[in-house]
Amino acid sequence: MIKINENYLKLASGYLFPEISRRVKSFSTKNPDKNIIRLGIGDVTEPLPPAIIEAMHNAVNQMGSKTDLKGYGPEQGYDFLIEAIITNDYKSRGVSLENTEVFVSDGAKCDTGNLQEIFGIDNVIAVTDPVYPVYVDTNVMAGRTGKADKSGRFAGIVYMPCTPDNNFVPELPKEKVDLIYLCFPNNPTGAVAKKEQLKKWVDYAKANKAIILFDAAYEAFISDNVIPHSIYEIEGAKEVAVEFRSFSKTAGFTGLRCAFTIVPRELKAWTSDGKAVDVNPIWNRRHCTKFNGASYVSQVAAAAVYSADGKKQVRKIIELYMSNASLIVGTLKKLGFEVYGGVNAPYVWLKTKNKMTSWEFFDYLLNKANVVCTPGSGFGAAGEGFVRLSAFGDPVNVAEAMERIKKI
Ligand SMILES: *Cc1c(COP(=O)(O)O)cnc(C)c1O
C-alpha cells in the first residue's frame, strides 16, 4: 500500500487567492457592467524592456545554430551571469563574493522553499507573522511542524508578530530558534529593516548557532540610502546568513524565470555531536542533484539587466511602480487611513477603518470602489485588520482606483 506523506494533509488547501477569485467572480457576475481594478496581485504588469528582449533574441538565435547551441549548462549558472551579479549587486555595496558562493536558479520561490531540506528535521523554525506562505508550508511538508490551530498557526513554529508597534520588524524570539526566515523589503507589509535592526539578528544567529534565510526579492525597490540591500552589508553576516534574490520583481521576470541564492563559504551548520559542517558544499550537492540549471536564454536575459541600457530601462519600470505606490500612500493618508510601506517596497499595508476585519474591508472595497485588494489575514494572524495593496499595475488604473476610493 502506497502511503501518502501525511504532512501535506496538515496544509489547508490554498485558501487566500482562490477565495479572492471566488468573491471577485461572484461580484462581477452580479455586476457585469462594473470595471474591476485589481490591486491585489503580486505580479508585474509592465513588459520586459528592449535591452533584455534584444539579448534574448540573440540567445534564441544561438540556440538555433549548430555551432552556438547551448545544451546543459553549469547547474550553478553561467559565469557571465554570476560575475555580473557579484560586480553589480555586491561589490558595488562593499561585499566581496566568490563565484562558487552564487547559485543561479529559476526562482526564489523554489530556493526559499528548498533550502530547508539540507537542515535537520528537529530544527526550530522562526517566521514573521504576517509571512510569505512558502517558508511555512515547505517546513510543514518536510514534517517540521505539528498541526495548525484555528488561526492557521502550526504547532512547533515560532511566529514573530510584525505590527505597527515594532515597525513591522520582529523582536528577537524569547525561545531558542535555529532557522530564521526574514524578508526585507517585506512582502506583504512593505516594511524595511535598518542596519542596526539586522545586526541584532546577525548577533542572535551567531550567539545561538542559528542560520538566517534572508529573502531580498524586493531589494531593487529600496529608495532610502540608509537601508541595506543585502544582509552581507552587516559585518559577520556571511557566517550566519543565506540570501535569496530574484529577477522576478526587479526586472519583470515572473514569466521568464531567473533568480539566485548566495550561500557563503563561511556559513556553518552543526552535526548532532557538535562538529561544524560547511553549508556551501552541501547546498551545491543538493542543487546539482535536483536541478539542472536555469535556461540559457533566461540567464542571458538576466545578464542584460546589468548592461548599461538594461539598468536604465529596468530602473524606469521600478520608478513607474514606485510612483503608483506613492500615489496610493498619499491618497490613503489624505483620507485618514493608517498606511505603511509603499516607500521602499511595491506593497502598501493598509489598516482597515472602523475595526473591519481584512475580509470585511476586502468586500467593502470591492463593492463600493470595485477595487480588489489582498486581505492581510491571509498572510497570518497578525495580518488581521490589514489589507495589502500592490503597486504593480498600470498607472492609469491605479489613479482610477484612487479616485474611486476617494468617492466612497
Ligand atoms: C515574488 C517573491 C519572490 C520571487 O519568487 P520567484 O520564484 O523568483 O518569482 C520571492 N520572495 C517573495 C517574498 C516574493 O514575494
Side-chain angles (χ1 to χ4, degrees), residues 46-95:
E46 288 297 300
L48 290 163
I52 294 169
I53 294 299
E54 197 187 313
M56 277 171 74
H57 276 304
N58 293 336
V60 167
N61 288 338
Q62 282 181 289
M63 296 304 265
S65 139
K66 184 130 189 158
T67 46
D68 294 341
L69 167 75
K70 303 283 178 192
Y72 288 125
E75 288 95 337
Q76 301 87 345
Y78 284 99
D79 278 333
F80 67 79
L81 176 57
I82 291 176
E83 277 154 23
I85 288 167
I86 292 175
T87 309
N88 292 282
D89 284 339
Y90 291 96
K91 221 177 192 174
S92 66
R93 306 197 68 85
V95 177

Side-chain angles (χ1 to χ4, degrees), residues 351-383:
K351 181 103 185 80
T352 66
K353 270 194 178 165
N354 304 324
K355 299 208 161 72
M356 275 190 238
T357 66
S358 299
W359 278 111
E360 281 165 359
F361 193 77
F362 172 91
D363 288 332
Y364 170 78
L365 265 196
L366 179 59
N367 284 290
K368 303 278 182 182
N370 316 137
V371 169
V372 180
C373 63
T374 312
S377 53
F379 298 99

Side-chain angles (χ1 to χ4, degrees), residues 321-340:
Y321 292 137
M322 290 316 288
S323 92
N324 286 342
S326 51
L327 179 66
I328 297 172
V329 170
T331 306
L332 295 171
K333 275 196 174 156
K334 261 191 227 148
L335 293 171
F337 280 96
E338 224 181 284
V339 189
Y340 304 94

Side-chain angles (χ1 to χ4, degrees), residues 107-110 132 135 183 187 215 217-218 246 248-249 257 259 347:
K109 186 192 219 180
C110 334
Y132 181 56
Y135 316 149
C183 173
N187 176 13
D215 186 342
Y218 295 95
S246 173
S248 283
K249 317 298 169 20
R257 314 303 304 148
Y347 297 119

